[in-house]
Amino acid sequence: MKGNGMAESAISSGGTAGAIHIATPLELFVQADTIVKLVIVILILASAWSWGIIVAKSVRLGALDRTAERLLKSLTKGVSTSELSEEFLKVKADDPLRIVYQAMVDENASSAELRRNVGQQESLLERVHRVAQLASGNALDGLRTGLQGLATIGSIAPFVGLFGTVWGIMNSFQGIAASNNTSLAVVAPGIAESLFATALGLAAAIPAVVFYNRIGGAIGKYSKRLTTFIGIYEVELSRQLAKGEAHGRRAA
């Protein structure tokens, strides 16, 4: 019994002395090699940049979607595009829907002489359509600004983290050679710091890839709404031209 008590005391004492200390991310950074520290800083900055893009794009697309849904619902309820002028005055000037609408209205107004010429009405519709497509394309290009950054971070960040890991492991093995000590305690800290770089690379890359696809899908959905609005405006304009032509014939 006495021997068992001594054994238990020894185990308890050994367990207390050998308590495992889990290093915090800050400790891993402080203990890391200069190159690994540089890699970690780059990955943290890349992650912050990508999250900035993600938040900004998500907020903006959410606001644009709500505006587009409200205006398109008004059109489906029978409100004509000419009656929407007051509604568009409430929309922000940089809203793609307002930009496209204004481009079509301006082209329609500047080509007033074509409205009076029955033979040129098709030309007017074609010109309005082209102007709308150009305005829509430019507006969508503006919405896509920043997505290239997410794509770059998503594809490169894991390799940057892997570079930091490889560099750190190389230093750990050099430490073994210099100390002639093959104990795991010698290499474990260096390996932990190195793997921390890989973890940061993945932490930066995964959200960038996920939200690149989600934001790209949201822009594609919004593009369809712009196309729908352009189509509705062109139908309304064609109806107005047809009414004007019929009125001209009756007057004749």
Side-chain angles (χ1 to χ4, degrees), residues 92-252:
K92 292 183 178 180
D94 62 345
D95 189 299
L97 204 60
R98 177 170 176 174
I99 292 172
V100 171
Y101 173 75
Q102 194 61 51
M104 291 189 293
V105 169
D106 290 345
E107 181 60 31
N108 186 23
S110 64
S111 302
E113 70 281 357
L114 299 180
R115 296 173 64 92
R116 294 188 292 268
N117 191 332
V118 176
Q120 296 294 323
Q121 290 180 357
E122 287 296 328
S123 176
L124 171 61
L125 289 172
E126 183 179 351
R127 287 168 64 172
V128 168
H129 178 76
R130 288 183 179 180
V131 166
Q133 292 298 320
L134 289 172
S136 174
N138 291 333
L140 291 174
D141 286 342
L143 290 179
R144 294 188 185 100
T145 302
L147 289 186
Q148 298 88 346
L150 290 182
T152 301
I153 292 171
S155 59
I156 292 180
F159 296 102
V160 174
L162 183 60
F163 168 75
T165 297
V166 172
W167 185 273
I169 291 175
M170 286 170 55
N171 285 338
S172 297
F173 281 110
Q174 288 175 357
I176 292 176
S179 63
N180 291 322
N181 187 348
T182 59
S183 172
L184 184 60
V186 175
V187 297
I191 293 176
E193 297 154 12
S194 305
L195 293 176
F196 180 53
T198 297
L200 281 178
L202 293 174
I206 292 173
V209 172
V210 170
F211 281 97
Y212 173 82
N213 292 325
R214 290 192 62 180
I215 293 172
I219 291 175
K221 180 181 176 182
Y222 187 75
S223 174
K224 291 181 180 178
R225 289 189 166 181
L226 278 179
T227 302
T228 299
F229 175 73
I230 292 171
I232 291 173
Y233 183 90
E234 289 176 348
V235 169
E236 176 66 19
L237 178 58
S238 177
R239 185 180 294 114
Q240 291 176 5
L241 293 175
K243 288 180 180 179
E245 180 182 352
H247 178 73
R249 287 177 178 174
R250 285 196 300 270

Side-chain angles (χ1 to χ4, degrees), residues 26-124:
L26 180 59
E27 290 174 336
L28 291 174
F29 174 77
V30 171
Q31 297 167 6
D33 176 78
T34 302
I35 299 298
V36 179
K37 283 182 180 178
L38 180 60
V39 168
I40 291 173
V41 169
I42 290 173
L43 290 174
I44 290 174
L45 292 176
S47 180
W49 181 35
S50 69
W51 276 108
I53 295 172
I54 289 167
V55 172
K57 292 295 181 186
S58 298
V59 171
R60 177 159 170 73
L61 285 170
L64 293 179
D65 256 346
R66 289 190 293 272
T67 301
E69 185 176 0
R70 175 172 56 84
L71 292 173
L72 288 175
K73 277 184 178 179
S74 297
L75 286 173
T76 56
K77 290 179 181 178
V79 177
S80 67
T81 53
S82 57
E83 294 172 342
L84 280 179
S85 299
E86 294 183 2
E87 290 291 330
F88 273 102
L89 292 177
K90 304 174 185 177
V91 178
K92 292 183 178 180
D94 62 345
D95 189 299
L97 204 60
R98 177 170 176 174
I99 292 172
V100 171
Y101 173 75
Q102 194 61 51
M104 291 189 293
V105 169
D106 290 345
E107 181 60 31
N108 186 23
S110 64
S111 302
E113 70 281 357
L114 299 180
R115 296 173 64 92
R116 294 188 292 268
N117 191 332
V118 176
Q120 296 294 323
Q121 290 180 357
E122 287 296 328
S123 176
L124 171 61

